[in-house]
Structures are given as structure tokens and as C-alpha cells.
Amino acid sequence: MRACQCGIQYVTRPKTRLELSFTKSSFYSMPCEVAARFLILYGSQRGQAQSIAEEICQQAAEHGFTADINCLSNQHKYNLDSEIRPVVFVISTTGDGDPPDTAQKFVRKIKNKSLPHNHFSHLHYALLALGDTNYANFCNGGKTIDSRLQQLGAKHFYATGHADDGTGLEVVVDPWIEGLWDALKKTFSSMATSDQQDTDLSDCTQDDFHKNASGQEKYKSDLEVDLHLLKLSETDSQKGKAITSDSIDVETLSTVLVASLKQSVPLLSESALNVPALPASYLEVRLEQVSTEGETVPSDKDGYHEVSISKAVQLTQDDAVKTAISLELDISEQNLAYQPGDAFDILCPNRASEVEELLLRLDLQTQKNCAVQVNLLKNSSKKAAKIPLHIPQNGSLQFILTWCLEIRSAPKKAFVRALADFTQNSSEKRRLLELCSKEGSADYNSFVRDANVCLLDLLRAFPSCLPPLSLLFEHLPKLQPRAYSAASSSLQHPGKVHFVFNVVEFPARPEHPARTGLCTGWLADHVSSILRPLGTVLASERLGTSAPPKVHVRPRPSGTFHLPADPSVPVVMVGPGTGVAPFIGFLQQREKEREANQEATFGETWLFFGCRHKDKDFLFREELERFAHNGTLSHLIVCFSRDEPDAAGTVNRPTYVQHNLSLHAKNVASILLKDKGSLYVCGDAKNMAKDVNDTLLEIIGNELQIDKLDAMKTVAGLREEKRYLQDIWS
């Protein structure tokens, strides 16, 4: 299942020495003083859009504005039907390109077909959309709202921003926010002039964001200043030369210094830096000497149920590249209903060893069982400050660090900036400031974001950094559950649900030691006592001797990723590796339906499966071959990407699932275009899902003899009709 946004904090850099300040005093010399106030509305699934909206609100005062901020779900607190102030939207995307849950009611309201085309003709707005290009329908939550507002007559006063979490939201978010202030200034000036009421305000401000995003105009003067402020090198100072890009022998320098998490190389190490503004502190944390040793797991108030793991099977051979494990959960006592295609959220804790190391590093090991009291700082400058809901009052410190905070998350630039202020060593502080600066963006991406560096890794790399506990509570996001697709049907396994996962492994690298994925590694350790190889039976003497391992789960129904209601509709399923999981549930369901309704008509079922080696990681091989043998599965099409060619030396042997799709292009096209069948894709978003989508475009383009643009429209139509469905992750 795809993961959605998690709670983070974003800040933008302060004004540089060459930028003009737009202060309250200068603003109030404008014709209409009351125009200084604008509205921020956000739609957030897991806190990311909210954090960015709150940062815009916080920065507004520094630029002479007053901002009101509301979640789109709080419709009683705002009224766009009569709103004359500029409005700034920050909208995330979830699911298969859907608006977040907090925006659903708003979207339904503005999609009302009875609204006139000029319903929002009075409205001037800007919109920042958040998404991830690893998934289909990039930024579609924001795009949906944006296009509908335009249809109803609303006008842009600033270009829409589309931020990509796949490459780093800050790449777009930071310059978009920087350009927002000039756009607002122009908008207020225009709105205060009566003879410009009919002017399309977007004309005068659309370029602002694009100039900022490219960095070619907004930062030109900054770059000139930075180059002039570079320190003189010891060798060049006698000649009176500053180090510039022209004077550095990069090839020679690279043999001496190599950039890493701990150190930079010129030009960065010699540059003046544009760093983010220091985030305002807003929490006060106290530790009470009250024993809380009884706490072990979160409460079930969020719909979680504690269930037993009745079976654990390793599906791959020991020498396979990845280890895949299938779990069977006993949900009979909880009476949890699900359909094939649904998923289950699983609560997992942070590693006990990492929590202990963090406590030791913060010098709080002796206070781990103390009760935590969290309050808002009375004099904080942070607007709309709230105590994070995921931090319980009176929970023990160890409990909060284990179950509530994502200590494995990569620290955002705002957090790195705050950590720098609690770093004693000047060289270490300088490096942290570089990592969060505009100039150090490439290093941040390479050594923090892409390297999956976490807080502990930074504290290991910078030993003089001693942050207070409150800083962690302000910046670490909520520990999110992990979602896994059901790999079973309750018709075939009543009272049980199966799911399968690969144990994710992160090899050792300079930035961090070797480790496994937070949830997959924990689950593998958790079931080690009952784990058995494929094809073996658990020894009888081990049964009943100890309590089975347990987990906390919550059903996560899918709105659309289900078999067609009409069983005669043909289906094509594409699921390499563990992406086959939901289709095992589909086929178990279809097998039981065929047994119960032998006179009914059932459509063809095609499964395209792929793995590395036929004899090492062909998941569910026996079950799939049984489905193919008894007719439940009409066509089982497999490929093995790492196996050597057979003795016959097969030419152009299909390597990946998309290659087999191409080989069966006529059948796939006929099912989708003539028979009105459905296509399901499950698995990796970054590579497989994109390649399958590209192949589908080629298949449809060739079949209908149309160009790529028209093929894209046809595929979009399949999505709209819910006949092209994806369950993908990155």
C-alpha cells in the first residue's frame, strides 16, 4: 500500500542581505490598510501539508502580513463564498491520486454541478500541491481543487506549485514560499485600486514563482555576494585571489578532500550560507518521577486489535537476494471483516537498541520510566502552536520514543537547522548549517535524504550536538503504521488473514551501520521462534509450549482495489515479487466462487508474475500452478530476470513483467478495449509501475493506431472508469 504524508516542519531561509524587506510599516502606507490579512487553508492526510501551511503562517508576520489558518475540514470557520481576502491552499495527495480525507467534504461541495460558472469569480488564490512522482496521478489532490476553482471563476494571483516528495519537497516548497510574499504584495496593491477590479491578477505574478524555482533571477545577486565573501585560501591569499569556481583545481582538490556527511569540500566549505530561519520553539517538556513501567503497547483507541500470529513461513530459499515471509494472523475472535484487495495497518515499535542508544546519547537513560508532561511555551512566537496529538500525556519517556515518534525518519532541513544551534563544536555546527542551507542542498540530498540518515546517525556524526528533549518532540514525526495487502480470502481462510513481505535491508555505508527495515525487520525478529521454511511442518513439540507472538492490526479497506462485481468481467493482474499478494486473495476468492456457482460465467484471468530466480523466489508457486491447473487462473505468465538462458539459448527472453505484457499485447488490448475488462497493478512504484504504464501506452497506441497523447487520454479514461487500478509503493 502506498504510504502517505507524515508530519514534518518546513522553514524557508531568511531574507538575504540584498533582498528588500517588506515590513509592516511600509505595508501600511498602501492605499488599503485592512488588506494585510490573508487566509491559509490546508488539506493534509498525515500532517505534511499542515506543517507547511503553519510555516507560511509563521513567516507571514516577518513579511508584514497577518494570516489566518484553517483545515479545509473546519468549514464552519471560513466561507469562500464571500471571501474577499487572498487565499493560499496547501493540498496533499493520498491513495490513487485522491485529495486527503480532510479535504474530501470540501471537494464534494465545490464539485456540486448546480454551482454557477462564476461562483468564485470574487476569489483570488494561490495553491501549493504536494505529491510524489513515484506514484501515478502526481499532485492530483491539489490539481483537482485547482481545476475546479478555475472552472468556477476563481483567479490565480500566483503560479501553482507542484512539490515532489520523490525528489525532495523543499526543492519546490522553499522557492514557492519565497516568491509568495511579492505576489501577495502585488495582489493587495491591485485589490486596493478600484479601477483594477476586473484585472486578472495572475498576469502580474505568474513569473514570480518560476523565477524563484529556477534560481536564475531571485538568487543572482545572492550568488554574486557569496562569491565575493568567500574566504581566501592560504595559498591564494598572498596573491590576493579569492577562491572562485575558476581558480579551484577541482581534480587536484578531489584527491585531497571527499565530501561526506561530516565534511564538505570547496566551494561549499568556503561559501557564505543562506540558511533557513531558526524554527521557533514551542514545547516545554517535563519528566515526572512517577513509575510507568507497565506500559508496553499503545492503546486500542484508534481501532487497533491485538491478534496472534498463528503461522510464519519463509517463502524464499536461503540464498535468494531477498527474504520473503508469509504470516497468518488469527482474527477470529475480533471478527474482522475484509475483502481481497484490502490491507491491514500494523503497529511496529522502534528498535529497542536504538531507543536505548538515543536515551544514552541524550543522558536520559536513568529517566526512561519517568512520566512525560508536555505543555506549550507561554511566550512562543510560533503561530497556531499545538501539542502534537501523537504524544500522550503522562506516558513514559521510553514508551513515547518506542511507539510514538519516528526516530528513523530522515531529519528535515528545519530540524537540522535547529540541531545546529545545540552543537558546541564550531566545525560540526558549520557542517550542519551547510546541510540545511540553499547552497548545501545537493549534500543534504546525498548524505541525509537519499542515504536514509536518521537522528541517531546525525548525533553519532556530530558528537557535540546535544539537543533538548523538547526539540525531538517538536520535529520528529508520528510513528506511522505500516500497511500490508491481504494475501488471502476469508472464503478460503475463515477467521484468518495472510500477508507477505520482503525483509528490507539497508547495507552499511559511511553515514550509518547496516540495518533492516523498521517494520519488516521487527516482524522477522518477532516471528523467529515460529518461522519455518516453505514445505515443512512446524514440529509438534514446539506447538502449545509458549504463547504465540502477537501484533496490533487495523483493517484498511480499499475503496476500489477489488475484483469486479460482475464475475464475467475479464481481469489482467500484474504483480511481480511480493506484488502478487493481493492477487493470491483474488484467486482464492474466485476459486471458491467457481466451486459455489458452477453454472455461472466467469471472465478470463491473466496473471503476469516475475521474480529473479525460478528456484529461489518464485512466491506461491505451488498455489499459482494449482490455480492454473484447475482453471481459476486462465493464463499464468512468468519471467525470471536473473536466471541464465536455457540450453536452447532463447533469444529475446522476457526479463520483466512489462516485456511479457508486450508479448501479449493483442490479448491485453482486447480485454481492456473490447471486453471492458480491468487491469490491476501491484508492486514497486519507482520502476515497475512506471514501466508497466509506459508499456500500456505503447500497447494502446499500437492497437488503436493513435499517438502517445491520445493513448494517454485513453489510459486516463481507464483510470477514471476504475478499470486501471494500482496498489503500489516506493
Side-chain angles (χ1 to χ4, degrees), residues 295-324:
E295 289 178 307
T296 55
V297 293
S299 66
D300 59 358
K301 64 179 181 180
D302 293 325
Y304 288 95
H305 303 266
E306 186 179 43
V307 301
S308 297
I309 301 176
S310 51
K311 188 185 298 182
V313 181
Q314 182 172 317
L315 300 181
T316 50
Q317 299 298 321
D318 290 337
D319 57 350
V321 175
K322 295 181 179 181
T323 299

Side-chain angles (χ1 to χ4, degrees), residues 321-347:
V321 175
K322 295 181 179 181
T323 299
I325 295 175
S326 172
L327 301 185
E328 178 184 84
L329 308 185
D330 185 347
I331 59 174
S332 56
E333 293 184 6
Q334 291 74 20
N335 195 28
L336 300 179
Y338 72 95
Q339 298 182 58
D342 290 346
F344 280 78
D345 284 335
I346 294 185
L347 286 180

Side-chain angles (χ1 to χ4, degrees), residues 373-416:
Q373 285 284 337
V374 184
N375 297 297
L376 293 176
L377 284 175
K378 293 181 180 179
N379 299 319
S380 174
S381 61
K382 180 178 175 62
K383 282 198 169 186
K386 297 178 182 177
I387 297 174
L389 296 177
H390 56 273
I391 300 178
Q393 293 287 10
N394 298 313
S396 73
L397 178 57
Q398 185 172 37
F399 174 82
I400 291 172
L401 293 179
T402 301
W403 289 101
C404 304
L405 299 175
E406 187 100 45
I407 66 174
R408 278 275 194 96
S409 63
K412 300 300 179 181
K413 287 188 176 182
F415 195 6
V416 177

Side-chain angles (χ1 to χ4, degrees), residues 513-545:
R515 55 194 178 214
T516 55
L518 184 62
C519 190
T520 61
W522 173 73
L523 283 171
D525 292 341
H526 198 48
V527 302
S528 58
S529 62
I530 64 170
L531 182 66
R532 60 183 175 85
L534 182 65
T536 62
V537 179
L538 191 64
S540 58
E541 62 269 17
R542 294 173 61 188
L543 289 174
T545 59

